[in-house]
Amino acid sequence: MKSNILCTWLLMLLFSGLNGLAQQKPVVKKTYCNPLIIGQSPTKRLSLSYEIQPVFQGPTRFPNSLLPVAYTTNIQSTQSVRLGYTKTLFTKQKFYMSFNAGYWFSTFNISNPENNSFARLLSQRQFHSITAGTNIFKPLNAKNFLLLNVSLEANGNGESLQNISGDNLLAGGAIIYGWKKGFKRMWGIGVFRGYRLGKVIHVPALLYNNSFNKKWGVDALLPARANFRYTKSPKTMWTFGYELDGTQFAIRSSNSFYNNTFFQRGEIRPKLGLEKQLSKTWAFTATAGLRVNGRFDITNDYAGDKPIVQTDLKPAFFINAGFHVTAFPKKKK
């Protein structure tokens, strides 16, 4: 009798335990999206590139002059060197952050500097742009994210950068709310602020990165840039698209007409490029395209609403080549 009671008690205890396990909800770990897109070009950790724009010219006008005569400014060549650096600061499930810095040095070789004062100014000056910025990718869940880009520039000719003031500093960036689907596609909408055409603009922004298949893809942040890619092999990629380039430079000059003014330089650049992975750490890029004038003016106010010199340059070709470090060698322990 006692054995029957004991067996009954054990069976009741067993079934009550199983019932409790059945009612207990399983623990589901929340997942978050990330910024990775399969097929994109590797991040360039350190870059050095050189660019030349051969002969181009255009009429230069002085709209405030009593005799607004148009002069021809002949630019024999424009040469520039760019340095870039990118470092990943945080890579976490709920937060991604990177830091980037750059330097842009450019000069103009004028064939007729005596033609007008603007031509003389260009031939006598070197222009510098120093930038620093950050990209923050904040996943909200498995499908949605916030993307924040913030940048600060210190720009000017050599004289103006000797004593940096607020005239040299420019702020830009973008904020985007987006959607992510797997590792092949992301898109988002937001607002963009920048000086890509030499003057500050605030416009709606559209982010669209998509790898259609193993060969074809697109990376775009409209209206600033759009780039289609064709991956010929694991080490060779062809690209074609466009970008808006340029910024605003503060000017100091012994010529009172140009002292405390601003040079606005902006370009629309359709281009074709080649990217070659030379090794695990090194890559080479070459780009050729057309420089279409967006703005090439001098203004006497920071906002750029009062031009005192306007130059309508004709389109010209440009060639750019660079070497890049895509991964730093790991130190041996």
Side-chain angles (χ1 to χ4, degrees), residues 22-54:
Q23 292 179 356
Q24 185 178 358
K25 294 182 180 180
V27 178
V28 179
K29 188 176 180 180
K30 191 174 182 179
T31 59
Y32 295 89
C33 57
N34 60 59
L36 300 178
I37 294 293
I38 293 175
Q40 285 185 323
S41 172
T43 300
K44 296 169 179 60
R45 305 296 179 183
L46 189 63
S47 298
L48 172 63
S49 63
Y50 168 79
E51 180 176 302
I52 184 169
Q53 297 178 8

mmCIF file of all heavy atoms in Angstrom, residues 22-54:
data_model
loop_
_atom_site.group_PDB
_atom_site.id
_atom_site.type_symbol
_atom_site.label_atom_id
_atom_site.label_comp_id
_atom_site.label_asym_id
_atom_site.label_seq_id
_atom_site.Cartn_x
_atom_site.Cartn_y
_atom_site.Cartn_z
ATOM 1 N N ALA A 22 6.469 23.157 -19.841
ATOM 2 C CA ALA A 22 5.712 23.443 -21.064
ATOM 3 C C ALA A 22 5.177 24.860 -21.055
ATOM 4 O O ALA A 22 5.089 25.519 -22.086
ATOM 5 C CB ALA A 22 4.566 22.443 -21.204
ATOM 6 N N GLN A 23 4.787 25.348 -19.847
ATOM 7 C CA GLN A 23 4.238 26.693 -19.761
ATOM 8 C C GLN A 23 5.312 27.778 -19.787
ATOM 9 O O GLN A 23 5.039 28.930 -20.081
ATOM 10 C CB GLN A 23 3.406 26.809 -18.485
ATOM 11 C CG GLN A 23 2.140 25.968 -18.502
ATOM 12 C CD GLN A 23 1.369 26.088 -17.219
ATOM 13 O OE1 GLN A 23 1.821 26.753 -16.278
ATOM 14 N NE2 GLN A 23 0.200 25.438 -17.159
ATOM 15 N N GLN A 24 6.571 27.444 -19.468
ATOM 16 C CA GLN A 24 7.659 28.429 -19.436
ATOM 17 C C GLN A 24 8.029 28.864 -20.844
ATOM 18 O O GLN A 24 8.288 28.038 -21.722
ATOM 19 C CB GLN A 24 8.878 27.842 -18.743
ATOM 20 C CG GLN A 24 10.005 28.857 -18.558
ATOM 21 C CD GLN A 24 11.172 28.240 -17.809
ATOM 22 O OE1 GLN A 24 11.113 27.085 -17.408
ATOM 23 N NE2 GLN A 24 12.214 29.028 -17.624
ATOM 24 N N LYS A 25 8.052 30.156 -21.106
ATOM 25 C CA LYS A 25 8.364 30.688 -22.436
ATOM 26 C C LYS A 25 9.861 30.615 -22.704
ATOM 27 O O LYS A 25 10.663 30.947 -21.829
ATOM 28 C CB LYS A 25 7.899 32.140 -22.540
ATOM 29 C CG LYS A 25 6.383 32.304 -22.480
ATOM 30 C CD LYS A 25 6.007 33.762 -22.647
ATOM 31 C CE LYS A 25 4.488 33.938 -22.591
ATOM 32 N NZ LYS A 25 4.098 35.355 -22.749
ATOM 33 N N PRO A 26 10.243 30.218 -23.932
ATOM 34 C CA PRO A 26 11.671 30.161 -24.259
ATOM 35 C C PRO A 26 12.278 31.558 -24.330
ATOM 36 O O PRO A 26 11.619 32.521 -24.721
ATOM 37 C CB PRO A 26 11.693 29.474 -25.627
ATOM 38 C CG PRO A 26 10.352 29.763 -26.218
ATOM 39 C CD PRO A 26 9.397 29.790 -25.048
ATOM 40 N N VAL A 27 13.516 31.686 -23.943
ATOM 41 C CA VAL A 27 14.221 32.968 -23.990
ATOM 42 C C VAL A 27 14.729 33.203 -25.410
ATOM 43 O O VAL A 27 15.488 32.400 -25.952
ATOM 44 C CB VAL A 27 15.403 32.984 -23.000
ATOM 45 C CG1 VAL A 27 16.165 34.303 -23.105
ATOM 46 C CG2 VAL A 27 14.895 32.768 -21.584
ATOM 47 N N VAL A 28 14.266 34.297 -26.052
ATOM 48 C CA VAL A 28 14.667 34.639 -27.410
ATOM 49 C C VAL A 28 15.620 35.837 -27.360
ATOM 50 O O VAL A 28 15.257 36.905 -26.858
ATOM 51 C CB VAL A 28 13.440 34.973 -28.288
ATOM 52 C CG1 VAL A 28 13.887 35.347 -29.691
ATOM 53 C CG2 VAL A 28 12.471 33.795 -28.323
ATOM 54 N N LYS A 29 16.797 35.655 -27.875
ATOM 55 C CA LYS A 29 17.789 36.729 -27.887
ATOM 56 C C LYS A 29 17.507 37.694 -29.027
ATOM 57 O O LYS A 29 17.356 37.286 -30.176
ATOM 58 C CB LYS A 29 19.195 36.143 -28.042
ATOM 59 C CG LYS A 29 20.292 37.170 -27.868
ATOM 60 C CD LYS A 29 21.662 36.520 -27.933
ATOM 61 C CE LYS A 29 22.765 37.551 -27.748
ATOM 62 N NZ LYS A 29 24.114 36.934 -27.815
ATOM 63 N N LYS A 30 17.426 38.994 -28.735
ATOM 64 C CA LYS A 30 17.125 39.998 -29.738
ATOM 65 C C LYS A 30 18.309 40.200 -30.671
ATOM 66 O O LYS A 30 19.449 40.276 -30.227
ATOM 67 C CB LYS A 30 16.766 41.320 -29.064
ATOM 68 C CG LYS A 30 16.191 42.355 -30.013
ATOM 69 C CD LYS A 30 15.714 43.581 -29.264
ATOM 70 C CE LYS A 30 15.085 44.599 -30.222
ATOM 71 N NZ LYS A 30 14.603 45.800 -29.496
ATOM 72 N N THR A 31 18.034 40.275 -31.959
ATOM 73 C CA THR A 31 19.091 40.468 -32.956
ATOM 74 C C THR A 31 19.064 41.896 -33.490
ATOM 75 O O THR A 31 18.027 42.564 -33.480
ATOM 76 C CB THR A 31 18.934 39.481 -34.120
ATOM 77 O OG1 THR A 31 17.649 39.684 -34.735
ATOM 78 C CG2 THR A 31 19.042 38.045 -33.630
ATOM 79 N N TYR A 32 20.238 42.333 -33.984
ATOM 80 C CA TYR A 32 20.383 43.682 -34.517
ATOM 81 C C TYR A 32 21.095 43.625 -35.865
ATOM 82 O O TYR A 32 21.932 42.755 -36.101
ATOM 83 C CB TYR A 32 21.182 44.563 -33.554
ATOM 84 C CG TYR A 32 20.494 44.798 -32.233
ATOM 85 C CD1 TYR A 32 20.684 43.916 -31.172
ATOM 86 C CD2 TYR A 32 19.659 45.891 -32.048
ATOM 87 C CE1 TYR A 32 20.042 44.117 -29.952
ATOM 88 C CE2 TYR A 32 19.029 46.106 -30.827
ATOM 89 C CZ TYR A 32 19.219 45.215 -29.790
ATOM 90 O OH TYR A 32 18.593 45.421 -28.593
ATOM 91 N N CYS A 33 20.747 44.577 -36.731
ATOM 92 C CA CYS A 33 21.414 44.649 -38.036
ATOM 93 C C CYS A 33 22.805 45.253 -37.869
ATOM 94 O O CYS A 33 23.160 45.786 -36.821
ATOM 95 C CB CYS A 33 20.582 45.464 -39.024
ATOM 96 S SG CYS A 33 20.216 47.152 -38.482
ATOM 97 N N ASN A 34 23.613 45.203 -38.935
ATOM 98 C CA ASN A 34 24.961 45.769 -38.912
ATOM 99 C C ASN A 34 25.221 46.492 -40.230
ATOM 100 O O ASN A 34 24.437 46.377 -41.174
ATOM 101 C CB ASN A 34 26.005 44.670 -38.665
ATOM 102 C CG ASN A 34 25.978 43.600 -39.735
ATOM 103 O OD1 ASN A 34 26.164 43.898 -40.918
ATOM 104 N ND2 ASN A 34 25.734 42.357 -39.347
ATOM 105 N N PRO A 35 26.307 47.255 -40.338
ATOM 106 C CA PRO A 35 26.554 48.067 -41.541
ATOM 107 C C PRO A 35 27.208 47.319 -42.697
ATOM 108 O O PRO A 35 27.522 47.935 -43.716
ATOM 109 C CB PRO A 35 27.471 49.177 -41.023
ATOM 110 C CG PRO A 35 28.214 48.552 -39.894
ATOM 111 C CD PRO A 35 27.254 47.590 -39.255
ATOM 112 N N LEU A 36 27.440 46.024 -42.583
ATOM 113 C CA LEU A 36 28.176 45.287 -43.610
ATOM 114 C C LEU A 36 27.307 44.996 -44.831
ATOM 115 O O LEU A 36 26.153 44.581 -44.700
ATOM 116 C CB LEU A 36 28.710 43.982 -43.035
ATOM 117 C CG LEU A 36 29.667 44.099 -41.840
ATOM 118 C CD1 LEU A 36 30.063 42.714 -41.357
ATOM 119 C CD2 LEU A 36 30.892 44.919 -42.216
ATOM 120 N N ILE A 37 27.893 45.196 -46.020
ATOM 121 C CA ILE A 37 27.265 44.837 -47.285
ATOM 122 C C ILE A 37 28.263 44.001 -48.075
ATOM 123 O O ILE A 37 29.382 44.446 -48.365
ATOM 124 C CB ILE A 37 26.866 46.084 -48.117
ATOM 125 C CG1 ILE A 37 25.778 46.874 -47.404
ATOM 126 C CG2 ILE A 37 26.395 45.675 -49.517
ATOM 127 C CD1 ILE A 37 24.441 46.182 -47.305
ATOM 128 N N ILE A 38 27.865 42.784 -48.449
ATOM 129 C CA ILE A 38 28.744 41.894 -49.202
ATOM 130 C C ILE A 38 29.052 42.504 -50.573
ATOM 131 O O ILE A 38 28.166 43.025 -51.247
ATOM 132 C CB ILE A 38 28.094 40.510 -49.367
ATOM 133 C CG1 ILE A 38 27.981 39.812 -48.014
ATOM 134 C CG2 ILE A 38 28.871 39.637 -50.332
ATOM 135 C CD1 ILE A 38 27.246 38.494 -48.050
ATOM 136 N N GLY A 39 30.319 42.437 -50.979
ATOM 137 C CA GLY A 39 30.706 42.894 -52.309
ATOM 138 C C GLY A 39 31.253 44.300 -52.364
ATOM 139 O O GLY A 39 31.786 44.715 -53.400
ATOM 140 N N GLN A 40 31.128 45.072 -51.281
ATOM 141 C CA GLN A 40 31.667 46.427 -51.281
ATOM 142 C C GLN A 40 33.192 46.417 -51.276
ATOM 143 O O GLN A 40 33.825 45.449 -50.839
ATOM 144 C CB GLN A 40 31.164 47.209 -50.073
ATOM 145 C CG GLN A 40 29.725 47.661 -50.175
ATOM 146 C CD GLN A 40 29.309 48.531 -49.011
ATOM 147 O OE1 GLN A 40 29.711 48.317 -47.871
ATOM 148 N NE2 GLN A 40 28.484 49.537 -49.282
ATOM 149 N N SER A 41 33.767 47.516 -51.752
ATOM 150 C CA SER A 41 35.215 47.670 -51.729
ATOM 151 C C SER A 41 35.712 47.682 -50.292
ATOM 152 O O SER A 41 35.066 48.239 -49.402
ATOM 153 C CB SER A 41 35.596 48.974 -52.427
ATOM 154 O OG SER A 41 36.960 49.264 -52.269
ATOM 155 N N PRO A 42 36.866 47.056 -50.013
ATOM 156 C CA PRO A 42 37.409 47.068 -48.649
ATOM 157 C C PRO A 42 37.660 48.498 -48.157
ATOM 158 O O PRO A 42 37.999 49.388 -48.937
ATOM 159 C CB PRO A 42 38.730 46.291 -48.781
ATOM 160 C CG PRO A 42 38.592 45.494 -50.026
ATOM 161 C CD PRO A 42 37.727 46.287 -50.943
ATOM 162 N N THR A 43 37.489 48.706 -46.869
ATOM 163 C CA THR A 43 37.753 50.014 -46.282
ATOM 164 C C THR A 43 39.217 50.387 -46.438
ATOM 165 O O THR A 43 40.101 49.576 -46.192
ATOM 166 C CB THR A 43 37.389 50.004 -44.788
ATOM 167 O OG1 THR A 43 36.007 49.694 -44.644
ATOM 168 C CG2 THR A 43 37.663 51.357 -44.146
ATOM 169 N N LYS A 44 39.461 51.612 -46.878
ATOM 170 C CA LYS A 44 40.831 52.085 -47.066
ATOM 171 C C LYS A 44 41.294 52.751 -45.779
ATOM 172 O O LYS A 44 40.898 53.869 -45.464
ATOM 173 C CB LYS A 44 40.885 53.021 -48.265
ATOM 174 C CG LYS A 44 40.536 52.300 -49.578
ATOM 175 C CD LYS A 44 40.333 53.252 -50.718
ATOM 176 C CE LYS A 44 40.018 52.477 -51.996
ATOM 177 N NZ LYS A 44 38.779 51.655 -51.865
ATOM 178 N N ARG A 45 42.162 52.056 -45.059
ATOM 179 C CA ARG A 45 42.620 52.550 -43.762
ATOM 180 C C ARG A 45 43.555 53.740 -43.905
ATOM 181 O O ARG A 45 43.520 54.680 -43.109
ATOM 182 C CB ARG A 45 43.327 51.422 -43.004
ATOM 183 C CG ARG A 45 42.492 50.163 -42.836
ATOM 184 C CD ARG A 45 41.269 50.416 -41.996
ATOM 185 N NE ARG A 45 40.442 49.219 -41.851
ATOM 186 C CZ ARG A 45 39.291 49.188 -41.210
ATOM 187 N NH1 ARG A 45 38.810 50.291 -40.659
ATOM 188 N NH2 ARG A 45 38.589 48.076 -41.130
ATOM 189 N N LEU A 46 44.397 53.721 -44.924
ATOM 190 C CA LEU A 46 45.346 54.806 -45.177
ATOM 191 C C LEU A 46 45.468 54.981 -46.681
ATOM 192 O O LEU A 46 45.646 53.990 -47.410
ATOM 193 C CB LEU A 46 46.700 54.481 -44.561
ATOM 194 C CG LEU A 46 47.758 55.589 -44.543
ATOM 195 C CD1 LEU A 46 47.280 56.771 -43.689
ATOM 196 C CD2 LEU A 46 49.078 55.069 -44.012
ATOM 197 N N SER A 47 45.367 56.226 -47.167
ATOM 198 C CA SER A 47 45.340 56.480 -48.605
ATOM 199 C C SER A 47 46.249 57.639 -48.979
ATOM 200 O O SER A 47 46.388 58.612 -48.227
ATOM 201 C CB SER A 47 43.911 56.802 -49.074
ATOM 202 O OG SER A 47 43.037 55.731 -48.852
ATOM 203 N N LEU A 48 46.827 57.528 -50.159
ATOM 204 C CA LEU A 48 47.597 58.611 -50.770
ATOM 205 C C LEU A 48 47.283 58.616 -52.252
ATOM 206 O O LEU A 48 47.483 57.613 -52.939
ATOM 207 C CB LEU A 48 49.101 58.422 -50.557
ATOM 208 C CG LEU A 48 50.019 59.401 -51.306
ATOM 209 C CD1 LEU A 48 49.780 60.824 -50.835
ATOM 210 C CD2 LEU A 48 51.479 59.005 -51.127
ATOM 211 N N SER A 49 46.780 59.743 -52.762
ATOM 212 C CA SER A 49 46.417 59.822 -54.179
ATOM 213 C C SER A 49 46.880 61.153 -54.773
ATOM 214 O O SER A 49 46.996 62.163 -54.066
ATOM 215 C CB SER A 49 44.911 59.657 -54.372
ATOM 216 O OG SER A 49 44.204 60.707 -53.736
ATOM 217 N N TYR A 50 47.115 61.113 -56.074
ATOM 218 C CA TYR A 50 47.549 62.298 -56.824
ATOM 219 C C TYR A 50 46.608 62.495 -58.000
ATOM 220 O O TYR A 50 46.198 61.529 -58.657
ATOM 221 C CB TYR A 50 48.978 62.117 -57.332
ATOM 222 C CG TYR A 50 49.412 63.157 -58.343
ATOM 223 C CD1 TYR A 50 49.809 64.426 -57.939
ATOM 224 C CD2 TYR A 50 49.398 62.870 -59.711
ATOM 225 C CE1 TYR A 50 50.195 65.391 -58.866
ATOM 226 C CE2 TYR A 50 49.789 63.821 -60.642
ATOM 227 C CZ TYR A 50 50.188 65.081 -60.221
ATOM 228 O OH TYR A 50 50.556 66.019 -61.137
ATOM 229 N N GLU A 51 46.263 63.753 -58.272
ATOM 230 C CA GLU A 51 45.336 64.052 -59.368
ATOM 231 C C GLU A 51 45.834 65.242 -60.189
ATOM 232 O O GLU A 51 46.405 66.189 -59.644
ATOM 233 C CB GLU A 51 43.949 64.366 -58.814
ATOM 234 C CG GLU A 51 42.923 64.685 -59.901
ATOM 235 C CD GLU A 51 41.537 64.900 -59.338
ATOM 236 O OE1 GLU A 51 41.025 63.960 -58.674
ATOM 237 O OE2 GLU A 51 40.973 65.998 -59.536
ATOM 238 N N ILE A 52 45.591 65.165 -61.471
ATOM 239 C CA ILE A 52 45.912 66.277 -62.366
ATOM 240 C C ILE A 52 44.735 66.534 -63.292
ATOM 241 O O ILE A 52 44.102 65.591 -63.781
ATOM 242 C CB ILE A 52 47.201 66.014 -63.180
ATOM 243 C CG1 ILE A 52 47.557 67.251 -64.019
ATOM 244 C CG2 ILE A 52 47.070 64.766 -64.036
ATOM 245 C CD1 ILE A 52 48.943 67.189 -64.634
ATOM 246 N N GLN A 53 44.419 67.806 -63.467
ATOM 247 C CA GLN A 53 43.427 68.246 -64.440
ATOM 248 C C GLN A 53 44.178 69.071 -65.477
ATOM 249 O O GLN A 53 44.703 70.135 -65.160
ATOM 250 C CB GLN A 53 42.348 69.095 -63.773
ATOM 251 C CG GLN A 53 41.540 68.353 -62.718
ATOM 252 C CD GLN A 53 40.507 69.243 -62.051
ATOM 253 O OE1 GLN A 53 40.291 70.378 -62.461
ATOM 254 N NE2 GLN A 53 39.858 68.732 -61.021
ATOM 255 N N PRO A 54 44.264 68.590 -66.718
ATOM 256 C CA PRO A 54 45.003 69.324 -67.748
ATOM 257 C C PRO A 54 44.315 70.639 -68.127
ATOM 258 O O PRO A 54 43.415 71.105 -67.438
ATOM 259 C CB PRO A 54 45.041 68.340 -68.916
ATOM 260 C CG PRO A 54 44.743 67.005 -68.327
ATOM 261 C CD PRO A 54 43.829 67.276 -67.179
#
